[in-house]
Amino acid sequence: MSRIGVVTFPGTLDDHDALRAVKLAGADPVPLWHASDSLNGVDAIILPGGFSYGDYLRCGAIARFAPIMGEVITAAGAGMPVLGICNGFQVLCESHLLEGAMIRNEGRKFICRHQRLRVESNDTTWTCDFAEGQEIIIVLKNGEGNFRADPDTLHKLEENNQVVFRYVGNPNGSLNDIAGITNERGNVVGLMPHPEHSVEMLTGESRDGLVFFTSVQHFLVATA
């Protein structure tokens, strides 16, 4: 059984949701503490959202220096699948595992709603069970989800097929409707919407988020 670690940072709200999503998908969820220097032998890592630790400086800036992030960066460089959700996406950008940055939403309002996304790439460890062009519904909740990048970086992301998700109906002003991206290798993915909140019909409009967690398991089995 795949062991998928979920990192808890100071003030994290959605770590238990991510752990539950991992369990519902049939994997073994492993809690990881931000101050630890061990990944406890996990096969993949999730940086969850729901916290604002250090956002007064810059989104994700403080959490990037958590001791465990040194291990995450090393593991990602060796090919381990890493998923950053919302604040976790911000941390991945601050850690230079992904390119670009997030600023305040257009209109400076917090957004909380079910959001339609289009799958632009299934060539990643976290999206291989999706179909390219598929539209899915995932919960979105953020105040600083407006994706920015300089023109050269934006061109590179588009040319290299590193845009993984686009908003269908841009809610926050993100450039090119970008909702999620990947690194060149395809093992690190970050997105602003919350797949862990879209795994049961009891709490959402779809179970589309569960596919993220089954995708990584299928990848791990195929490459074992």
Side-chain angles (χ1 to χ4, degrees):
M1 180 183 293
S2 301
R3 288 167 47 84
I4 302 179
V6 178
V7 179
T8 297
F9 294 97
T12 299
L13 300 177
D14 296 329
D15 48 349
H16 287 280
D17 300 77
L19 289 165
R20 178 172 173 76
V22 168
K23 186 175 182 179
L24 286 173
D28 184 14
V30 180
L32 299 173
W33 184 238
H34 72 103
S36 173
D37 59 0
S38 172
L39 297 179
N40 291 339
V42 299
D43 304 301
I45 302 165
I46 297 172
L47 306 183
F51 62 92
S52 58
Y53 178 58
D55 280 2
Y56 55 84
L57 175 62
R58 195 170 62 251
C59 298
I62 298 297
R64 177 263 179 271
F65 293 102
I68 202 168
M69 284 307 300
E71 299 301 314
V72 172
I73 291 168
T74 299
M80 180 179 288
V82 178
L83 177 67
I85 302 169
C86 195
N87 303 86
F89 183 12
Q90 296 164 350
V91 175
L92 290 177
C93 291
E94 286 289 331
S95 303
H96 304 296
L97 289 174
L98 292 177
E99 297 173 279
M102 259 65 65
I103 63 173
R104 290 288 294 172
N105 291 341
E106 192 173 77
R108 295 187 171 274
K109 291 185 178 180
F110 184 87
I111 299 169
C112 185
R113 73 188 200 190
H114 291 91
Q115 176 65 46
R116 189 173 293 276
L117 306 176
R118 184 172 63 252
V119 180
E120 296 292 291
S121 174
N122 60 1
D123 190 23
T124 82
T125 58
W126 297 93
T127 62
C128 54
D129 282 355
F130 288 111
E132 285 192 18
Q134 179 181 352
E135 291 193 3
I136 62 176
I137 296 175
I138 299 290
V139 170
L140 175 70
K141 54 171 192 175
N142 63 68
E144 290 145 331
N146 188 345
F147 181 80
R148 301 280 109 179
D150 64 76
D152 288 343
T153 298
L154 198 62
H155 178 75
K156 173 179 173 293
L157 292 173
E158 296 285 4
E159 287 296 304
N160 290 348
N161 198 34
Q162 289 176 246
V163 177
V164 183
F165 297 101
R166 294 190 205 274
Y167 296 112
V168 178
N170 193 327
N172 53 27
S174 290
L175 291 174
N176 292 18
D177 300 327
I178 291 174
I181 61 173
T182 185
N183 62 345
E184 292 186 14
R185 189 169 183 172
N187 65 303
V188 179
V189 171
L191 77 161
M192 288 311 296
H194 288 257
E196 79 281 11
H197 293 331
S198 297
V199 295
E200 296 177 287
M201 293 305 296
L202 178 66
T203 56
E205 292 186 5
S206 82
R207 298 175 68 246
D208 292 338
L210 199 61
V211 181
F212 287 79
F213 308 100
T214 59
S215 289
V216 72
Q217 290 187 77
H218 290 155
F219 170 82
L220 290 169
V221 169
T223 56

